[in-house]
Amino acid sequence: MNIKISALMLGVMYLGVPFFLGDNDYLIGLVASALIIAGVAVAWALLGNLGGMVSFGHAAFFGVGAYTSAVLTMDYGVPVFVALVVGGVGASLSSIFMMPALRLRGPYFALAILAYAEIFKILATEATGLTGGAGGLLSIPSLPVFAGVDFGTKLGGYIVILNIVTLMLITYYFIRRSSYGLALKAMHDSELATRIVGVPATYLKVVMLLVSAFMTGAVGAFNAHYINFLEPDYAFSGTWTVFPIVAAIFGGYRTLSGPVLGALFIYLVDQLVFKNLIPQGHQLILGVMLAGMIILSPSGLLPVITNLFTRKKADNKRGEAQHA
Amino acid sequence: MLKVENLSVNFGGVRALQDVSFEVQTHEVLGLVGPNGAGKTTSFNVLSGTVRPTAGSVTYEGHDILKSSMHQRVTFGIGRTFQIPQPMHELSVRENLIVAQRFGRPDGKVKQERIDEILESVNLLHKAEADAATELALTERKALEVAKALATEPTLLMLDEVLAGLETTSKKLFMQTLKNIREKYSLSMIVIEHDIETIMNMCDRVVVFNFGKVIADGDPEETFRNPEVVRSYTGEVPA
Ligand SMILES: Nc1ncnc2c1ncn2[C@@H]1O[C@H](COP(=O)(O)OP(=O)(O)O)[C@@H](O)[C@H]1O
Ligand SMILES: [Mg+2]
């Protein structure tokens, strides 16, 4: 069921969105921005769903990925698409500093990683030689022309971030159905039960943190080349943590496509509706929506959709049975 | 094969274990008895690695296991159950055993026939696809606890009150199941149990705990005639 919804969603994103919005730069740009949030939301949810780690520090991975890729392309002439991957690697490396936090449980892990994220922001501001300091980096190279396609356009950028998110979902899917995924799923609520049958729980968490940081870093790197500008307050902004968390929980953080649907919904509704209604402080509405979702359906939007589908199917079956 | 020497555990002011020593021979079934709070579960916790002792040493088949991580001890062949069953949540019964095989066996191989065989031996095969955390009755939860440990292919199986709370018939059946398992997989066992009849029936030897200390160690029949043991059971403070 879940996988069908993911496939349907990707179908719409690959065919429907370019077809209907392809020549509207404003709208396609909005959807691309929503996908940037979605990418971080998927990475965040992977860590939360598999292994049960709640992170308040994903902004650090986003920022490190962004700066790694920007600096490599600007100062060392590394091709942009290569730099995106190295940006992910950079974020993974930065997560190594956070690994001691894996010894902490629940809220203490979340808070420790938040502290790390702040430290990274301070470092980026201070390392003026490398990052341009508070003044920022200007004219970061755009996504290039590749195989005859100009990815530097709004539509081109959309296709690239869509590919990134799709690769992330595929990776997530395969991790989840492996025996590692089974153990990680169980660790969410019953870590002791997994340890006692020989699961090296800390090692699995380390791997998930590396993967999640890599994904977030690659998305951060994409963003740098998409908007061509970085400053520490922006690249390491708490927004890159808060928005994805809201999106993931809203959509259903324990599901595959929930965080993506959540990000698309939250971001587009925020930008297209609430921003016009309440220009100042429209994000407040997000808090209200999140609260509403948690009260109405604690496991998020996707389970609601899934239930609608399955109920319809059950109704159809009942109907068929009556006709037979 | 298992040698526990001079083990002590303190929890803040509580001295849960004081200078505890005992051994388990290959293929032996050792009973651990004693009143509530005597330190029986704490001994299991030290052996399986959830509690670090303040002093003492434990060797299992030549391994100094106090230096090893929890998961290494499992691959050395030490398996255990919990007094309060700890199913792996969100997984089916079968998936619980898959994880146990994948991570608990030294070679990490998952063998479906072996999983079926284990489920069969604890009468859980008909519940193989049930959700482990939500769809099992008490006896079935206890059976899964044993099955998970068996799936790691232990040589020493430690059972913490697996029979407690069961009504007489299921208790008898389950005890027979445990005896069969022991034969089939030629296991050594440590069994924590309150019921003296069960201990007499299952165990080759018994170690009696009281207030964190070993107060008797020997043949079950003789031990239960020991006045100090009887006194500990009737709840009197030793002089
Ligand atoms: N994790 C813990 N923290 C603090 N005290 C504990 C802990 N585990 C056990 N104890 C205490 O240690 C003593 C022995 O407990 P336990 O080994 O569970 O006894 P039992 O023989 O009933 O299994 C008890 O006083 C208990 O309250
Ligand atoms: Mg106990």
Side-chain angles (χ1 to χ4, degrees), chain A residues 49 103 179-190 192-204 254, chain B residues 48 50 70-71 74 78-80 82 86-91 95-96 98-100 102-105 148-149 152:
Chain A
N49 182 28
R103 300 173 69 97
S179 55
Y180 276 59
L182 286 181
L184 282 158
K185 205 161 87 174
M187 277 160 59
H188 187 279
D189 285 329
S190 45
L192 179 61
T194 63
R195 284 182 181 268
I196 208 64
V197 295
V199 174
T202 306
Y203 166 73
L204 294 198
R254 308 228 43 198
Chain B
S48 63
T50 66
M70 270 175 87
H71 62 268
V74 178
I78 301 178
R80 80 169 279 189
F82 285 98
Q86 304 275 342
M88 287 180 239
H89 286 229
E90 296 178 45
L91 305 190
E95 286 170 334
N96 264 261
I98 290 175
V99 172
R102 170 66 184 79
F103 293 95
R105 283 168 47 101
K148 272 190 301 158
T152 67

Side-chain angles (χ1 to χ4, degrees), chain A residues 61-62 64-66 84 87-88 91 212-222:
Chain A
F61 306 139
F62 190 89
V64 170
L84 293 186
S212 181
F214 177 87
M215 290 174 164
T216 310
V219 174
F222 166 83

Side-chain angles (χ1 to χ4, degrees), chain B residues 58-70:
Chain B
V58 181
T59 51
Y60 183 69
E61 307 213 304
H63 301 286
D64 175 2
I65 65 165
L66 293 181
K67 291 209 182 86
S68 315
S69 61
M70 270 175 87

